[in-house]
Amino acid sequence: GKPAMLSWFRGKRKALLSLMFGFAFIGIPVQTTIAWAPTYLIRHFHFNPGEAGLALGLIALVFGASGMIAGGWMVDRLKGRGGDDAPMRVGLGAALGALPFAVTATLVSDAMVCLLLLGPLLFFVSCGIGAAPTGIQLITPNPYRAQVSALYMLILNLIATGGGPALTALATDFIFADEGAVGNSILLVNGVAIAIAGIIFFKGMKPYGDAFRVVDNAVGISN
């Protein structure tokens, strides 16, 4: 029942909230890049809308899809080697991998170099997103998985989908006060979001590992 689930959630809240908020923040660059990188290519490199959409679409298709698959695969591989905190480690690795590309992709003066940097950025942040569902499954008893997944999707949509594009627009209008500075806004929002995600993942490794071991030891009862 609901009281039992709330009691269970309170006991696992550090692990669950670290996972949910960490992956929500690393999801910001995905939404920001999809929403604003075409505008950046149009304004800065004078792409036409069709060229910008095609270039970003291909990058998202190749690097985004492969990153999501790789994220889940890496969690399974680390868990198989005894990594109780595997999803958090994958998230932290994704943040560390993504950060250099996030802070350089919209600073370069060549369009092709920009696109080449956006690819790895989307790959790494998508690794993080691919690890999230597996991370939820590993520490959540079967009867609660639907509710916990729904809560995660709510947090993800509010922070990543709702926050990333909006914060980029606000930074362009009110921090840089220049519509030509959208590249700087993308860099600022993505860089800060990835750094926050990395900190959350790092601090969440121990709580997540503890939560995983409790569920794993009681697998016959709770899963």
Side-chain angles (χ1 to χ4, degrees):
K2 187 177 291 186
M5 180 184 172
L6 291 174
S7 176
W8 169 84
F9 189 92
R10 281 195 294 269
K12 301 288 188 297
R13 65 186 183 278
K14 288 184 179 180
L16 288 165
L17 293 177
S18 294
L19 183 142
M20 292 178 182
F21 279 91
F23 286 116
F25 272 95
I26 209 169
I28 284 179
V30 176
Q31 300 298 328
T32 300
T33 302
I34 291 172
W36 283 104
T39 302
Y40 172 70
L41 293 175
I42 291 167
R43 292 181 184 176
H44 194 74
F45 295 114
H46 309 295
F47 278 44
N48 65 48
E51 291 170 339
L54 178 61
L56 266 299
L58 288 173
I59 288 172
L61 178 64
V62 174
F63 289 92
S66 60
M68 292 184 69
I69 294 169
W73 178 82
M74 284 189 285
V75 171
D76 288 340
R77 190 167 180 82
L78 284 174
K79 178 178 173 291
R81 293 181 174 181
D84 295 345
D85 55 359
M88 308 303 278
R89 287 185 179 274
V90 171
L92 179 58
L96 293 173
L99 191 58
F101 299 101
V103 299
T104 55
T106 54
L107 286 182
V108 296
S109 58
D110 182 89
M112 186 56 64
V113 175
C114 170
L115 293 172
L116 289 173
L117 293 172
L118 287 174
L121 168 61
L122 284 178
F123 174 83
F124 280 113
V125 293
S126 296
C127 276
I129 294 173
T134 306
I136 291 172
Q137 297 282 324
L138 289 174
I139 62 169
T140 305
N142 198 43
Y144 304 151
R145 285 177 180 169
Q147 296 95 320
V148 173
S149 296
L151 178 60
Y152 166 65
M153 291 304 299
L154 174 64
I155 293 172
L156 178 68
N157 284 322
L158 287 174
I159 291 177
T161 307
L167 289 171
T168 305
L170 290 172
T172 303
D173 290 343
F174 296 106
I175 295 179
F176 300 106
D178 177 7
E179 68 174 18
V182 67
N184 292 332
S185 300
I186 293 171
L187 183 159
L188 177 64
V189 171
N190 286 354
V192 171
I194 292 169
I196 291 172
I199 292 169
I200 294 173
F201 288 132
F202 180 75
K203 289 184 173 294
M205 284 194 293
K206 185 181 185 303
Y208 186 94
D210 293 342
F212 173 80
R213 284 186 289 274
V214 169
V215 173
D216 193 52
N217 292 337
V219 67
I221 298 172
S222 57
N223 280 319

